[in-house]
Amino acid sequence: MRLLTVILLCCALLLCACATASDAPATPAPRPDPAADLPAAAETARRFLNAWQAGDLDAMHRLLTFRNRELTPLVEFRALYQQAHAAMGYISLDYKLQSLTGEGRFLTLQYEVTFHTRIVGSFVDSQRMLHLVVDSQLGEWRIAWSRADIFRELGEGARLVFESQLPVRANIYDRHGRALADQNGRVVRILVDNRHIPDREACFLALAEATGETAAEMDDLFNRRSKPDWIVDAGAIERDTYIRLHDRIEPVCAADFTQQATRRYLDGALMPHILGYVGYADADELPSLLAAGLHAESIIGKAGLEASMNDVLAGAPGGRLSLVAADGRRLRILSEAPSQAPKSLWLTVAADLQQFIRGALEDAFANGSFADETNGAAVIIMDVNTGEVLALVSHPTYDSNMLNPFPTMGREAAYTALAELIADERNPLLNRAAQGTYVTGSVMKVMSSVAALESGVYSQDSRYSCIGTWRYGNDLRYDWLPAGHGVMSVRTGITNSCNPFFYEVGFRLNAQDPQLLPGFAQKLGLGQPTGINSISEAAGYIPAPDTIERSTGLPWSYGHAVNLSIGQGEVQVTPLQMLRMYAAVANSGYLLRPQLVREQGILDDREPVARREALRDLGLDAANLAFIQRGMCDVTSSYPGTAAHIFAASPLLEIGVCGKTGTAQVPGADKLPHSWFIAYAPADEPQIAIVTLVENGGEGSTVAAPLTRDILEFFYFAEL
């Protein structure tokens, strides 16, 4: 019985086992081992390098192993690559995969990278190794990253170092070779070995006195911002300070002293509005400065030609990109490039002419020739055939040396002069020649004459009786000569400067087409930049139907055109714009780009910069131009001419001066008008044009015209 029970139990167990086996689900297929998928490993490496190529540091970081991402968080990872990019002046890279070796879950990709940089050009870094592993948490190929994946020596504690080679800033000369700006200023830099300072406390106190910093700032420079083994640049001091404090600094700091060349303007007040000045970069300029291989203390052009021609004057830095061990040993030079030599500039300006004009203006202001309310003046002379500017003077002037980081006059004197400059209500920093905008008065009548004849509304035979007044309805306007001038043509209207004649011109042109007169003003280059690209300039404003309605909400009327015809009302133009227009009248109708830089180069190896550039052929009728020119020539040589009494005894009558006076009324009952005179010479074969403006100076014929005469006599007859 017991035997039967055992047999039955065994059978039952067998049946259960059979049932369990038949009812169990199928065993899943084993997952493929990522280690066997070599193409996937290569693809991970390719994605990592593509992300670097695209500048996507976040995508690169996502491809690291989980452990790597913990050890090097994204913020730190980004910073490491950004620092390396900044050091090398990185632009882009190309890569080439070479071989994938290893076994199992650990592979090594050999590849090379070609880096393209701003300063040292392109260089190849070969035999680079990228390590790949199967991440145990992700079950996928990932990058086993270290700093060696930027450059292999970085994994051993080395640093990527760019040593900049900065060329010395080039000089600026006038058209005859007279030096205007050079690098012959000198300051002394203090260099201190942070490891070997005999008395740190006394050293910091002495350096603070020399540099104008505090002892606490020196402590911060040496103990926190500098490493213990650095040679620290403690700052630059003037020669007088060096002589006074050298014996105090040297023993307590064990300092070395080196000379540094600085910018110097040989006559800083001669043409600061042209040359400008140099200085340190502003915060928004620093990124591009650093990317170009310069540093935060690099001196760059800040205004005038120093700024607009900075790349020519400064050249381009060269340098060496190296990997340097922690102990200072150079491990490897990645690439190096020589600096690009800077080029000196030769200006179109003649320094002796500039100096005479500056002196003439200073004398006139000093001896009381101008009224007390006269704040400033401007004079420009330009070659009418080439656009070369021979002189450009804005008064009052200032010494541009005071704005340099290392002023040749000394910091204390510079600070005093700068405070006076800022407090000066006359605003000497304003370049009145190119940035000052003014009403013009009667010098605008040349534009109105061109418009009258070229539009066909007037002819050379048109006549108008100038009786001393002009009326339209209740609008009664007066001439400067109460009795009037009699019967006038366009030519004699210019010579006599008859206001009613030009009131009528403005009225009739407006009746023909309200856009006609402002359109000719704009065609002749007024109310817009002249295109001079070396210094800043103002655009000014010429009123027109559309702009008047936008700015005032009122419609354009005949009154706007009548005002414009004699340079009054809303007109605002620069002396440079007016000069260029007169030059176009003198040169048969070509509106030229004004030029300030004649040549650039190294020593005698020069290349031209100034080239005649006609921005606009005005297409003016030669007979009409000749008619207008005769009216202008009579201004200085004919009895009724408004400046004839000024030029009556001048030798300039032998060559002929053709011009126009202007007396521009300004708002304010007690304000004197602006005084203008614009002319060209010689009469038959024009060479130059000149504009003279004296703010609130009075009559054009009594203030600006005599100044112009004196300047032209110097230009043509002075023996230098």
Side-chain angles (χ1 to χ4, degrees), residues 636 651-658 680-684:
T636 63
L652 290 166
L653 290 179
E654 298 175 10
I655 64 171
V657 175
C658 307
Y680 67 83
D684 293 336

Side-chain angles (χ1 to χ4, degrees), residues 15 57 97 99 112 118 147-148 171 182 219 255 349 488 572 595 608 671 702 711:
L15 289 171
L57 301 179
L97 304 184
S99 63
E112 71 175 29
R118 292 183 180 86
R147 297 185 185 202
N171 296 345
D182 63 23
D219 181 271
V349 176
M488 295 280 106
Q572 290 288 300
Q595 307 280 348
K671 291 282 189 180
T702 58
I711 293 167

Side-chain angles (χ1 to χ4, degrees), residues 384-684:
V384 301
N385 299 304
T386 66
E388 291 188 9
V389 175
L390 306 180
L392 186 150
V393 179
S394 178
H395 183 89
T397 186
Y398 63 94
D399 188 342
S400 51
N401 282 302
M402 75 175 75
L403 297 171
N404 282 350
F406 306 108
T408 54
M409 63 184 69
R411 277 201 176 95
E412 188 173 340
Y415 291 155
T416 301
L418 187 57
E420 293 173 355
L421 177 67
I422 294 171
D424 194 332
E425 294 181 354
R426 299 173 302 165
N427 191 11
L429 288 170
L430 175 67
N431 182 357
R432 286 166 162 81
Q435 294 175 309
T437 57
Y438 306 91
V439 288
T440 67
S442 293
V443 289
M444 187 66 81
K445 292 173 181 175
V446 170
M447 182 281 294
S448 301
S449 298
V450 171
L453 294 174
E454 289 293 307
S455 66
V457 175
Y458 280 68
S459 72
Q460 295 178 28
D461 296 326
S462 298
R463 296 293 184 268
Y464 176 82
S465 180
C466 180
I467 60 173
T469 60
W470 179 88
R471 180 189 293 274
Y472 178 71
N474 294 325
D475 185 0
L476 178 63
R477 305 188 183 212
Y478 298 90
D479 187 31
W480 62 271
L481 187 65
H485 301 274
V487 177
M488 295 280 106
S489 67
V490 169
R491 172 185 168 181
T492 56
I494 293 171
T495 303
N496 291 267
S497 197
C498 172
N499 284 343
F501 179 89
F502 287 97
Y503 292 146
E504 184 68 13
V505 167
F507 183 82
R508 290 181 59 185
L509 290 178
N510 187 72
Q512 180 82 11
D513 180 354
Q515 188 59 44
L516 205 52
L517 190 60
F520 267 97
Q522 292 161 356
K523 180 179 179 179
L524 289 166
L526 304 182
Q528 58 196 264
T530 65
I532 191 170
N533 48 21
S534 304
I535 57 175
S536 298
E537 62 174 329
Y541 175 70
I542 290 294
D546 56 341
T547 59
I548 285 293
E549 189 164 352
R550 279 201 307 270
S551 61
T552 67
L554 300 173
W556 172 270
S557 73
Y558 77 90
H560 293 102
V562 169
N563 286 337
L564 175 58
S565 69
I566 63 163
Q568 293 291 162
E570 298 85 357
V571 170
Q572 290 288 300
V573 296
T574 68
L576 184 59
Q577 290 172 14
M578 293 300 294
L579 177 68
R580 188 171 69 135
M581 181 182 75
Y582 273 62
V585 170
N587 68 23
S588 302
Y590 294 96
L591 210 56
L592 303 178
R593 184 191 299 278
Q595 307 280 348
L596 274 172
V597 181
R598 195 179 194 194
E599 296 174 305
Q600 65 183 34
I602 301 171
L603 300 176
D604 292 330
D605 183 15
R606 305 181 202 171
E607 56 185 322
V609 175
R611 294 179 174 86
R612 182 183 186 276
E613 185 178 355
L615 298 180
R616 193 176 302 157
D617 179 354
L618 299 173
L620 303 181
D621 180 81
N624 286 339
L625 267 181
F627 195 63
I628 292 169
Q629 289 168 350
R630 286 198 295 275
M632 294 171 65
C633 295
D634 288 344
V635 166
T636 63
S637 61
S638 174
Y639 164 70
T642 53
H645 61 294
I646 300 299
F647 287 82
S650 173
L652 290 166
L653 290 179
E654 298 175 10
I655 64 171
V657 175
C658 307
K660 184 72 191 75
T661 55
T663 304
Q665 305 301 320
V666 296
D670 299 329
K671 291 282 189 180
L672 287 174
H674 296 325
S675 177
W676 289 84
F677 191 74
I678 313 178
Y680 67 83
D684 293 336

Side-chain angles (χ1 to χ4, degrees), residues 265-287:
Y265 302 105
L266 283 81
D267 183 349
L270 181 60
M271 53 182 82
H273 300 98
I274 297 175
L275 299 183
Y277 53 89
V278 297
Y280 296 115
D282 298 327
D284 59 343
E285 295 172 311
L286 272 178

Side-chain angles (χ1 to χ4, degrees), residues 688-708:
I688 62 168
I690 178 172
V691 58
T692 301
L693 161 75
V694 180
E695 292 178 0
N696 306 113
E699 299 288 334
S701 60
T702 58
V703 178
L707 266 174
T708 304

Side-chain angles (χ1 to χ4, degrees), residues 21-34:
S22 62
D23 293 341
T27 302
R31 293 178 61 186
D33 185 358

